[in-house]
Amino acid sequence: MTAGMMQVGATLVERRVVGAVQELRLQQPRLAARLTAGQPVLVRTGWGMVPYLRRPFYPIAITADSWVVRLPADGDPGHAWLRTVPEGTELDCLGPIGLGFRLPDGTRRVLCLGEGEAAWSLLPLVVEADALAMAVTLAVAAITRREAIPAARLPPAVEYRLIPRDESHGPEQLEDTWGELLPWADVVMAAGSVPFYRRLVEAIRVHRLLLRPGFAQVLYPTTFLCGTGACLACVADVAGGRRRVCRRGPVFDLTEVVETG
Ligand code: FES
């Protein structure tokens, strides 16, 4: 187990049904106090002792004593189990996993870029940056409107650009906003796919000429089983070699994820 990580019981204190998705609030003050945006918590999703019963969840909200996760409406048996456990259940949690997003000292303008469902993992960061009086723009390419973050979930001062990708929307792409937004930003925080990050590197080169380390942090998309570095399920080509994302990430500098040479 890495420094700062803990295995604890967290109480399911609230279940909100939002369309086909459930949002679960888990209460555990010691873990909540260590949790930052971009750090998953692995939740045991069954009563048995079978290894790797855990599922990773990125917090979409963090308070002093609790955090909220989104439970997708998919066919995963672990998610199905979580959909049925009653409020008050104590869930075995392992986390926080690895390194999350870090707002550098002196930052004034934060550009958060999200792609699809992954954009939700940026929400605690958006709230944190706004609370620190930073100017925040959140630009999201949603695959469907159901995945889209409602504007009401954001602090009022946050500028929100939502580009849904469905048949009712025009041809505008998230990338169409980058010429305006990238020169404005002091830092970029992104959550999406690796191809999305490759397009981001190209756009930074066009609109800022230079991609310097420290300008952009990105959440690497991968699978976590153990969260402790033992199973190798999360190994990926990042930071100059084959790395365990649960130990070195999951948030990396953009220059560590996309070859920039
Ligand atoms: S999740 Fe097992 S090594 Fe990273």
Side-chain angles (χ1 to χ4, degrees):
M1 210 177 285
T2 54
M5 188 191 305
M6 55 174 61
Q7 182 176 359
V8 288
T11 307
L12 172 60
V13 292
E14 182 186 3
R15 178 195 306 281
R16 270 186 74 201
V17 178
V18 186
V21 171
Q22 291 189 7
E23 294 183 0
L24 308 182
R25 179 175 294 279
L26 306 181
Q27 190 172 53
Q28 214 303 327
R30 285 188 300 134
L31 204 163
R34 299 182 185 199
L35 195 55
T36 60
Q39 286 182 303
V41 173
L42 301 190
V43 181
R44 179 176 279 273
T45 55
W47 301 116
M49 296 305 292
V50 182
Y52 306 140
L53 269 178
R54 297 180 186 279
R55 298 291 185 274
F57 292 97
Y58 289 93
I60 65 166
I62 303 172
T63 68
D65 67 352
S66 68
W67 67 99
V68 177
V69 301
R70 264 169 76 83
L71 188 54
D74 58 17
D76 176 78
H79 293 164
W81 182 85
L82 272 180
R83 273 195 288 278
T84 61
V85 292
E87 289 183 17
T89 299
E90 186 170 289
L91 297 169
D92 186 282
C93 294
L94 182 69
I97 305 296
L99 302 172
F101 290 103
R102 301 164 297 280
L103 287 166
D105 291 342
T107 301
R108 290 174 300 156
R109 296 180 296 270
V110 184
L111 174 58
C112 294
L113 298 174
E115 183 188 41
E117 183 73 25
W120 284 87
S121 61
L122 295 166
L123 262 184
L125 180 73
V126 168
V127 171
E128 178 188 353
D130 177 76
L132 292 169
M134 298 174 184
V136 184
T137 294
L138 171 64
V140 174
I143 295 169
T144 65
R145 285 186 183 274
R146 199 168 67 182
E147 288 176 323
I149 300 170
R153 295 287 191 98
L154 302 173
V158 172
E159 182 178 340
Y160 188 26
R161 308 279 185 94
L162 174 64
I163 302 173
R165 290 202 179 149
D166 58 26
E167 62 287 345
S168 64
H169 193 74
E172 186 184 19
Q173 304 289 310
L174 180 61
E175 288 82 340
D176 295 339
T177 66
W178 288 354
E180 172 194 353
L181 296 176
L182 287 173
W184 167 84
D186 292 332
V187 293
V188 171
M189 309 283 179
S193 63
V194 172
F196 179 73
Y197 299 150
R198 290 201 187 99
R199 296 197 298 276
L200 179 58
V201 167
E202 292 307 313
I204 291 171
R205 284 179 170 147
V206 169
H207 299 295
R208 296 184 64 99
L209 301 182
L210 188 67
L211 171 57
R212 59 171 174 77
F215 177 64
Q217 298 171 29
V218 299
L219 181 64
Y220 193 90
T222 191
T223 301
F224 300 106
L225 292 182
C226 72
T228 62
C231 74
L232 304 184
C234 65
V235 166
D237 288 317
V238 284
R242 300 286 290 166
R243 310 289 184 211
R244 290 169 294 183
V245 174
C246 67
R247 303 295 294 269
R248 296 287 295 265
V251 175
F252 292 88
D253 193 275
L254 178 58
T255 58
E256 295 180 309
V257 170
V258 178
E259 187 64 53
T260 57

